């Protein structure tokens, strides 16, 4: 008998209960040892704001964000050494151009001198956002930028530039009974209505893939096409906020029937064929610690409708960031990014990455913890209202803030409140709180950083708190209640 006979007689590798990671540890760092009481003392001094807690004392998983916290591969570390820190036209610029063209399409990064500028490198996503929205604010009055869900800094950058940021969440997102795989979609009929009434006031429509504010849920190709068709009808440019473009493509392949046999790179090219430009923070699916970009499609509606903006963007970049051939990035980061873009579209990487997040979410769900289902691509979202249901926790006790503080002090895991406090506001004149529709605590999973057992420990810790949830006290805001972007700055104390 040869091997094929043996292999045919055995269950296949993917039928095993567990799957080995498609990578191994290249180097590791031992964590500091500290006790719950030590963490509590430090967190109390930080006014219970987990952003101000020293990361070295996070003895569990640091799930505050998946941004800029990727563990880089050996190839990326090697690429750092090839970084060329020349002031003009460093080596990495050309490598990056090639990789952007390959990944998203040639028309998003023109060779310098062949046409007007259309590719702008920035130090991170929000810098691209300010460049775009500050220039767009000059193209009209009473402008509106609709989205399937603006991220918090995106919304802030739009509003600081006196434009209205509008979220057209899909109805499924608000329906706990819905098991749609694409709850990140935009509500196309509301977009159609908005465009027919106020189209001339919309300089661009945004689709965030995946939808971070909308529970980290993906957007289907069908929805992308539907939104693009409305935009085309009204002559409005369409943009992606493309931070998690590869993870979104994985969901399309996995759950949108006709894409099952298409490769991830092919799906990505199709997604980007429908948009006229995109902003991106490379700190997510670029697999790097720093970097961002703004890319305008040559021949696309944006460059046609706002032709003067390309040169204005170039001037903005030179004044605020750096020469267009490095923008806001160092040569070494550009090299690591070029390699990161090649890895992030690989099927085995994405499957492991997303399945790890899903497995973590399912463990929480199986333990009875209320989490948003289905589980999204980069994070698990805990429903704070359902978590505290039946306890004395009131909306202005900010249970999500209390939960993240106690989880960090007691068990050493750091998560982020994205709910009544982060997205809410306070009306000082009336003395009333304004609460948003959603109230989540987000557990964002960094890429290539933790093993399943680490996340299992987070799940167990959350379950422990759930079993004792009536012992978690509410918090009062002792500083920053009325400030914009208040979750980054506020201080709290237990009531
Ligand atoms: N857009 C989305 C969808 C994001 O998730 C982020 C950042 C940005 C834009 C801004 O990019 O940080 O490079 O300036 N999200 C991180 C998070 C911070 O934790 O979700 P940036």
């Amino acid at each position: 008998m040869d091997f094929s006979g043996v292999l045919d007689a055995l269950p296949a590798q993917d039928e095993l209960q567990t799957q080995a990671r498609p990578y191994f540890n290249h180097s590791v760092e031992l964590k500091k040892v500290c006790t719950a009481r030590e963490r509590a003392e430090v967190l109390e001094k930080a006014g219970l704001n987990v952003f101000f807690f020293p990361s070295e004392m996070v003895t569990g998983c640091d799930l505050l964000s998946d941004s800029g916290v990727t563990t880089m591969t050996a190839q990326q570390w090697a690429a750092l050494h090839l970084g060329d820190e020349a002031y003009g036209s460093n080596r990495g610029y050309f490598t990056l151009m090639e990789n952007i063209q390959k990944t998203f399409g040639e028309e998003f990064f023109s060779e310098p001198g062949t046409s007007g500028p259309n590719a702008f490198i920035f130090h991170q996503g929000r810098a691209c956002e300010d460049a775009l929205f500050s220039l767009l604010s000059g193209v009209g009055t009473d402008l509106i930028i609709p989205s399937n869900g603006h991220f918090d800094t995106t919304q802030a950058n739009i509003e600081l530039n006196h434009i209205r940021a509008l979220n057209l969440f899909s109805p499924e997102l608000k329906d706990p009974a819905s098991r749609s795989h694409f709850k990140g979609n935009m509500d196309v009929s509301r977009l159609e209505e908005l465009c027919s009434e106020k189209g001339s006031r919309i300089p661009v429509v945004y689709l965030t893939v995946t939808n971070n504010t909308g529970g980290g849920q993906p957007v289907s190709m069908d929805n992308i096409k539907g939104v693009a068709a409305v935009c085309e009808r009204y002559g409005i440019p369409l943009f992606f906020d493309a931070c998690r473009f590869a993870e979104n493509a994985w969901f399309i392949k996995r759950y949108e029937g006709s894409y099952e046999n298409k490769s991830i790179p092919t799906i990505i090219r199709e997604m980007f064929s429908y948009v006229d430009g995109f902003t991106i923070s490379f700190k997510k699916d670029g697999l790097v610690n720093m970097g961002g970009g703004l890319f305008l499609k040559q021949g696309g509606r944006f460059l046609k409708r706002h032709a003067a903006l390309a040169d204005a963007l170039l001037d903005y970049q030179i004044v605020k960031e750096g020469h267009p051939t490095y923008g806001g990035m160092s040569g070494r980061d550009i090299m690591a990014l070029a390699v990161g873009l090649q890895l992030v579209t690989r099927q085995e990487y994405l499957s492991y990455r997303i399945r790890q997040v899903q497995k973590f979410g399912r463990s929480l769900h199986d333990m009875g913890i209320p989490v948003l289902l289905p589980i999204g691509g980069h994070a698990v979202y805990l429903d704070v209202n359902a978590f505290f249901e039946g306890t004395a926790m009131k909306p202005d006790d900010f249970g999500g803030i209390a939960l993240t503080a106690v989880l960090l002090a007691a068990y050493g895991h750091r998560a982020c409140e994205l709910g009544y406090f982060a997205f809410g506001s306070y009306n000082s004149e009336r003395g009333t709180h304004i609460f948003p529709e959603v109230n989540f605590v987000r557990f964002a999973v960094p890429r290539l950083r933790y093993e399943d057992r680490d996340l299992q420990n987070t799940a167990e810790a959350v379950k422990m708190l759930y079993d004792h949830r009536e012992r978690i006290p509410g918090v009062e805001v002792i500083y920053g209640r009325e400030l914009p972007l208040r979750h980054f700055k506020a201080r709290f104390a237990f009531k």
Side-chain angles (χ1 to χ4, degrees):
M1 198 201 267
D2 65 7
F3 245 130
S4 70
V6 180
L7 295 184
D8 288 347
L10 287 170
Q13 188 176 339
D14 57 10
E15 285 176 41
L16 298 180
Q17 290 284 313
T18 54
Q19 296 298 318
R21 293 178 294 163
Y23 56 91
F24 60 86
N25 299 346
H26 168 241
S27 69
V28 297
E29 181 171 335
L30 288 196
K31 294 176 189 167
K32 237 183 176 163
V33 177
C34 65
T35 64
R37 290 208 185 280
E38 284 165 341
R39 284 193 298 269
E41 196 180 313
V42 172
L43 189 54
E44 212 147 38
K45 280 198 195 126
L48 305 186
N49 186 327
V50 297
F51 283 95
F52 293 113
F53 187 83
S55 70
E56 279 200 326
M57 292 180 75
V58 178
T59 49
C61 293
D62 194 347
L63 308 179
L64 187 62
S65 176
D66 65 320
S67 179
V69 287
T70 301
T71 300
M72 291 203 296
T73 62
Q75 286 78 3
Q76 285 181 292
W77 284 107
L80 285 179
H81 285 280
L82 298 175
D84 167 12
E85 306 303 337
Y87 193 84
S89 300
N90 70 86
R91 175 194 315 146
Y93 174 73
F94 299 100
T95 315
L96 183 63
M97 182 192 314
E98 203 179 295
N99 282 297
I100 297 274
Q101 289 175 342
K102 256 194 219 150
T103 311
F104 305 107
E106 291 75 23
E107 56 284 17
F108 287 109
F109 206 136
S110 304
E111 297 249 357
T114 58
S115 59
N118 71 333
F120 308 89
I121 305 165
F122 285 86
H123 72 276
Q124 65 180 94
R126 63 200 70 185
C128 314
E129 293 164 4
D130 181 56
L132 180 65
F133 302 132
S134 64
L135 292 173
L136 274 179
S137 66
V139 306
T141 46
D142 291 331
L143 298 176
I144 309 168
I145 299 185
S147 168
N148 57 331
H150 287 295
F151 181 63
D152 58 9
T153 58
T154 318
Q155 172 152 352
N157 268 308
I158 291 174
E159 289 171 351
L160 284 171
N161 286 301
H162 312 291
I163 303 174
R164 187 171 159 219
L166 183 68
N167 288 333
L168 305 177
F169 292 121
S170 90
E172 278 109 10
L173 183 64
K174 290 176 237 159
D175 175 6
S178 162
R179 286 290 172 271
S180 160
H181 283 294
F182 295 102
K183 290 187 176 182
N185 285 351
M186 180 183 274
D187 187 333
V188 182
S189 51
R190 281 185 67 199
L191 177 69
E192 173 87 53
E193 230 169 81
L194 184 75
C195 291
S196 78
E197 283 170 22
K198 300 175 180 156
S200 61
R201 286 164 48 194
I202 305 175
V204 60
V205 170
Y206 248 79
L207 265 179
T208 309
V209 291
T210 56
N211 190 340
N212 191 4
T213 300
Q217 302 286 309
V219 178
S220 69
M221 192 74 88
D222 193 49
N223 191 251
I224 296 171
K225 282 190 213 168
V227 169
V230 174
C231 289
E232 188 170 5
R233 252 198 314 285
Y234 292 92
I236 302 170
L238 174 60
F239 261 54
F240 278 146
D241 175 336
C243 294
R244 299 175 181 86
F245 69 97
E247 292 174 3
N248 200 92
W250 185 90
F251 279 99
I252 289 175
K253 181 173 169 67
R254 174 73 184 76
Y255 296 112
E256 207 169 340
S258 53
Y259 289 91
E260 194 182 353
N261 297 320
K262 295 208 165 133
S263 72
I264 296 285
T266 307
I267 294 173
I268 292 169
R269 289 294 283 260
E270 182 177 340
M271 286 166 62
F272 283 78
S273 72
Y274 298 113
V275 296
D276 303 292
F278 63 98
T279 49
I280 184 165
S281 162
F282 290 123
K283 298 172 74 172
K284 288 82 174 169
D285 276 352
L287 304 182
V288 282
N289 308 122
M290 261 302 156
L294 163 57
F295 301 92
L296 307 173
K297 184 185 268 170
Q298 233 27 282
R301 253 193 317 273
F302 187 88
L303 277 177
K304 282 189 190 144
R305 182 162 160 188
H306 306 295
L309 287 199
D311 284 328
L313 276 167
L314 197 63
D315 292 344
Y316 177 108
Q317 189 182 37
I318 293 169
V319 173
K320 305 262 185 173
E321 291 274 301
H323 186 265
T325 56
Y326 69 86
M329 292 180 74
S330 67
R332 62 183 77 101
D333 281 333
I334 291 178
M335 289 304 281
L337 168 59
V339 177
L341 284 176
Q342 291 166 2
L343 167 65
V344 78
T345 59
R346 277 168 58 174
Q347 171 76 28
E348 74 277 21
Y349 156 75
L350 280 172
S351 287
Y352 187 80
R353 153 77 180 152
I354 296 172
R355 293 226 159 91
Q356 180 181 52
V357 177
Q358 290 180 329
K359 187 170 171 189
F360 169 47
R362 262 197 307 272
S363 303
L364 284 163
H365 174 70
D366 292 346
M367 290 171 175
I369 316 290
V371 292
L372 181 70
L373 293 175
I375 308 297
H378 70 293
V380 177
Y381 292 69
L382 178 148
D383 180 338
V384 177
N385 294 346
F387 186 94
F388 285 110
E389 205 176 286
T391 71
M393 191 68 76
K394 297 190 299 299
D396 63 357
D397 289 337
F398 297 109
I401 298 287
L403 173 57
T404 54
V406 178
L407 179 66
L408 182 53
Y411 300 116
H413 296 280
R414 177 156 65 173
C416 182
E417 196 261 7
L418 288 179
Y420 282 1
F421 195 75
F423 299 136
S425 56
Y426 186 72
N427 185 325
S428 308
E429 277 167 26
R430 292 199 192 139
T432 50
H433 290 279
I434 299 154
F435 297 116
E437 287 175 53
V438 288
N439 194 16
F440 292 127
V441 161
R442 184 187 74 170
F443 298 85
V445 182
R447 296 166 182 79
L448 302 171
R449 190 175 176 89
Y450 293 119
E451 296 181 18
D452 292 351
R453 69 171 64 192
D454 299 317
L455 295 169
Q456 213 44 50
N457 185 246
T458 309
E460 194 186 335
V462 174
K463 164 78 164 126
M464 198 61 89
L465 293 183
Y466 188 58
D467 289 344
H468 300 91
R469 57 194 181 279
E470 72 292 339
R471 295 193 200 160
I472 301 175
V475 299
E476 64 178 314
V477 189
I478 52 179
Y479 168 74
R481 190 172 55 182
E482 60 296 319
L483 298 177
L485 295 167
R486 59 188 187 169
H487 53 305
F488 295 119
K489 303 176 276 192
R491 298 289 201 277
F492 312 88
F494 287 119
K495 280 186 175 164

